[in-house]
Amino acid sequence: MKVTVFVTPKKTVLDPQGAAVGHAMEHLNVKPSSDVRVGKTIEFELEGSDTPELRAQLEKICDGLLSNPVIEDYRYELA
Amino acid sequence: MKVTVFVTPKKTVLDPQGAAVGHAMEHLNVKPSSDVRVGKTIEFELEGSDTPELRAQLEKICDGLLSNPVIEDYRYELA
């Protein structure tokens, strides 16, 4: 089963990396009409099917390893 | 129009960050059955509608700013 985890900065948190990308875009004559948000994607495969146990394990690594719950949100897709 | 750009390391390129995440997962008793790939998402809004000119501008910033074409692939979604 393919797992894709999307980690993004919380809306309430300043995203300096996003601000820098936004400024750089303007130098290329592309003016974003909103803040730019830069996040991470983590892709991997897991043995087994979509069970509550597997989701619990996945949430454990999302919370404890793949994201910083203080400043980031995450969601995941199973395929 | 909301733009989401997904930048991922090329399949042929070693992903040290992904390898490190994979090892860390194993310490949390989660064993991925494939390589772990860590990529970036860049989200922003652009004025205007889905036109060839807008897509050309988008590809210019994807190639020139948001990704490194030598080691990374990108794709984008317009919503």
Side-chain angles (χ1 to χ4, degrees), chain A residues 4-29:
Chain A
T4 306
V5 178
F6 300 91
V7 178
T8 50
K10 286 188 190 291
K11 294 256 186 276
T12 53
V13 172
L14 178 70
D15 179 4
Q17 191 176 5
V21 170
H23 284 307
M25 276 191 203
E26 288 177 26
H27 290 297
L28 293 172
N29 302 318

Side-chain angles (χ1 to χ4, degrees), chain B:
Chain B
M1 191 172 43
K2 184 176 179 190
V3 180
T4 306
V5 178
F6 300 91
V7 178
T8 51
K10 286 187 189 290
K11 293 259 185 276
T12 52
V13 171
L14 179 69
D15 180 5
Q17 192 177 5
V21 170
H23 284 306
M25 276 191 202
E26 289 177 22
H27 290 296
L28 292 173
N29 301 318
V30 174
K31 176 123 181 56
S33 57
S34 72
D35 284 345
V36 177
R37 314 291 292 171
V38 177
K40 291 180 290 202
T41 56
I42 300 105
E43 292 174 28
F44 54 96
E45 308 244 346
L46 279 182
E47 292 294 332
S49 54
D50 184 355
T51 61
E53 292 75 26
L54 186 119
R55 283 181 178 258
Q57 249 190 342
L58 202 47
E59 268 146 40
K60 193 176 83 178
I61 56 169
C62 285
D63 271 316
L65 173 68
L66 302 179
S67 77
N68 175 347
V70 175
I71 59 169
E72 292 173 325
D73 293 321
Y74 71 84
R75 65 182 177 86
Y76 56 85
E77 289 173 3
L78 304 176

Side-chain angles (χ1 to χ4, degrees), chain A residues 13-59:
Chain A
V13 172
L14 178 70
D15 179 4
Q17 191 176 5
V21 170
H23 284 307
M25 276 191 203
E26 288 177 26
H27 290 297
L28 293 172
N29 302 318
V30 173
K31 174 120 180 59
S33 56
S34 72
D35 285 344
V36 177
R37 314 290 293 172
V38 177
K40 290 179 292 202
T41 56
I42 300 106
E43 292 173 26
F44 54 96
E45 307 245 345
L46 280 181
E47 292 294 334
S49 55
D50 184 356
T51 60
E53 292 75 27
L54 185 118
R55 283 181 179 260
Q57 250 191 340
L58 201 47
E59 268 147 39

